[in-house]
Amino acid sequence: MYDAVVAGASVIGGVCARELASRGIRTVLLSDQPGIGKDGKCTCIISRKGLDKTGINYSDAVLQKIDGARVWSGSACMEVRSKEVALVLNRFLLDATSVEQAQDKGAELKRNSPFRELHGEIVESLVPIRTKTVIGADGIASHVARSQNFPQLEEIVVAWEAEYGNADLEDSSIVDVFTDFPGLLAWSVPCGENSVRVGLAVKNNIQEHKRRLFLKPRIQKTLKNAEKKREFYHSIPLRYRRQTQKNNVLLVGDAAGQVKASTGGGIVFGSLCAIEAAEQTKQFLGGGVLDYENSWRSKYAKTLDRHQLIRKTLDATPSFVATTGLHVLNAIKFNRFFEGKGDMDFILK
């Protein structure tokens, strides 16, 4: 008998299990594979401020410190600097550290134990598990969400990324962001000495947009003599589900769509909502009301909506207007407004 079952042994599932166990809640964390984590399918550039809020001991996973970005639209570019605003991490190590912290707090990890179904208080997995609450941290294709007929995710983009060695990096502390791709963005993110992660996320026609990306002069220069190490495709939700709680079943992270629509990043807000899920579960098990739905929305939905507004504005802006706009912003040195003030997560707060 457990108080809580967390499905999905990745970084956010680890945060949720850690927070549950640290509150004295008997917790089991289910991994659907022999190992843990997302197999590295993540650019994993995260704000330092956001990472510090998650409670993960991430120091051993840091590959590169980032203190600026070049934002491109066509030939126009605006460069913004802000002291050590973000970190690029090894996603394997970040997942492993998060899960290890959960185990250190007393959570039990079951490998090769995928969540299959929930019948009353019984979770069908490798072996049946009796529980009082279930938290789905099992990603965009959440089995927990499907088993309980949660509303579908309404906005999803398809992403591709490859990591290259022997790249030509003028400055390994700055990322390149290309805004002229429908759906999300394209990017070039340094991830260590002479290594870079290049990718994009779009609504459709991903192969055509990959061709466009490789024609960018900045990308051509970076990858001129580069060697591909790995590549992957995956999907990213851009809007949270209309419902993320059904009775004692909760969704967190990508499973809930708690992702920044401006960048596709979900680790910070997914982790914060996982912490909220743990607190609500403690309240419920103590005889109170389980109101995760209103709890996380009251704290984070407005900020996620702001990211959604940025995304919709970019999508609605013709490329020639965006290019002209960047030229104008450069002329008035608008980038200085952001320097030293930026917050990648809690924007306009």
Side-chain angles (χ1 to χ4, degrees):
M1 179 68 185
Y2 294 92
D3 295 321
V5 169
V6 180
S10 186
V11 59
I12 293 171
V15 168
C16 191
R18 181 197 76 210
E19 293 297 313
L20 288 162
S22 68
R23 288 163 170 78
I25 298 169
R26 293 167 295 179
T27 304
V28 62
L29 179 61
L30 303 182
S31 174
D32 62 358
Q33 53 192 343
I36 56 176
K38 290 186 66 174
D39 298 325
K41 293 182 178 180
C42 179
T43 308
C44 214
I45 176 171
I46 312 172
S47 72
R48 179 181 283 278
K49 289 181 181 178
L51 273 170
D52 288 341
K53 289 182 173 72
T54 68
I56 304 169
N57 296 329
Y58 58 82
S59 57
D60 290 342
V62 175
L63 297 174
Q64 184 65 51
K65 298 176 181 178
I66 301 296
D67 62 14
R70 287 183 291 250
V71 181
W72 296 82
S73 178
S75 61
C77 176
M78 181 174 70
E79 183 172 316
V80 179
R81 291 279 183 172
S82 185
K83 186 178 179 181
E84 205 174 292
V85 66
L87 300 171
V88 183
L89 299 106
N90 181 317
R91 181 60 194 263
F92 290 105
L93 288 179
L94 191 68
D95 287 337
T97 299
S98 182
V99 171
E100 286 170 7
Q101 285 183 257
Q103 291 177 282
D104 289 343
K105 291 295 183 180
E108 182 179 342
L109 172 66
K110 290 185 180 291
R111 302 173 186 268
N112 287 316
S113 298
F115 175 97
R116 294 195 178 103
E117 190 59 79
L118 175 65
H119 301 289
E121 291 187 341
I122 303 298
V123 169
E124 295 294 340
S125 183
L126 186 63
V127 295
I129 301 171
R130 185 179 296 276
T131 185
K132 297 176 182 177
T133 56
V134 174
I135 297 96
D138 49 345
I140 189 171
S142 172
H143 290 284
V144 175
R146 280 187 288 172
S147 74
Q148 300 302 299
N149 295 314
F150 276 87
Q152 291 187 348
L153 291 162
E154 296 175 357
E155 294 185 45
I156 295 174
V157 290
V158 180
W160 163 87
E161 182 178 279
E163 185 172 324
Y164 296 87
N166 198 34
D168 182 3
L169 299 173
E170 290 181 1
D171 186 344
S172 60
S173 69
I174 193 166
V175 303
D176 288 285
V177 178
F178 304 91
T179 64
D180 50 345
F181 287 83
L184 192 57
L185 299 165
W187 57 85
S188 174
V189 175
C191 56
E193 186 176 357
N194 300 322
S195 294
V196 65
R197 293 170 180 169
V198 174
L200 76 166
V202 292
K203 293 180 179 178
N204 49 44
N205 299 324
I206 191 167
Q207 298 303 326
E208 173 59 23
H209 292 300
K210 277 177 63 179
R211 186 189 67 81
R212 285 183 53 226
L213 177 61
F214 285 121
L215 291 176
K216 298 280 186 184
R218 171 65 61 179
I219 297 298
Q220 289 184 334
K221 183 178 185 304
T222 299
L223 300 183
K224 183 178 180 180
N225 299 306
E227 301 172 351
K228 186 188 297 182
K229 295 180 178 179
R230 63 184 179 93
E231 68 177 328
F232 60 85
Y233 290 86
H234 67 121
S235 298
I236 302 172
L238 294 187
R239 173 163 284 280
Y240 48 80
R241 292 185 196 261
R242 288 182 285 110
Q243 184 179 9
T244 59
Q245 175 185 346
K246 283 193 173 184
N247 299 317
N248 62 339
V249 181
L250 320 177
L251 303 177
V252 298
D254 281 10
Q258 293 157 336
V259 173
K260 296 183 295 184
S262 60
T263 65
I267 288 177
V268 171
F269 283 101
S271 295
L272 293 176
C273 291
I275 294 170
E276 200 63 30
E279 185 58 33
Q280 285 293 313
T281 300
K282 178 185 177 183
Q283 180 175 299
F284 169 65
L285 295 174
V289 175
L290 179 57
D291 193 12
Y292 166 72
E293 192 77 74
N294 288 320
S295 179
W296 83 259
R297 288 177 189 270
S298 67
K299 292 185 177 181
Y300 307 119
K302 286 184 179 179
T303 299
L304 292 176
D305 289 343
R306 293 188 189 110
H307 286 281
Q308 184 74 211
L309 180 60
I310 291 172
R311 173 77 269 132
K312 290 186 179 299
T313 301
L314 288 172
D315 285 344
T317 303
S319 58
F320 74 91
V321 173
T323 301
T324 302
L326 273 184
H327 283 306
V328 171
L329 292 175
N330 275 329
I332 64 174
K333 301 186 184 304
F334 188 71
N335 59 326
R336 292 181 180 176
F337 174 79
F338 294 102
E339 293 179 354
K341 301 179 181 179
D343 190 319
M344 292 170 59
D345 305 305
F346 291 90
I347 55 176
L348 303 177
K349 184 176 181 180

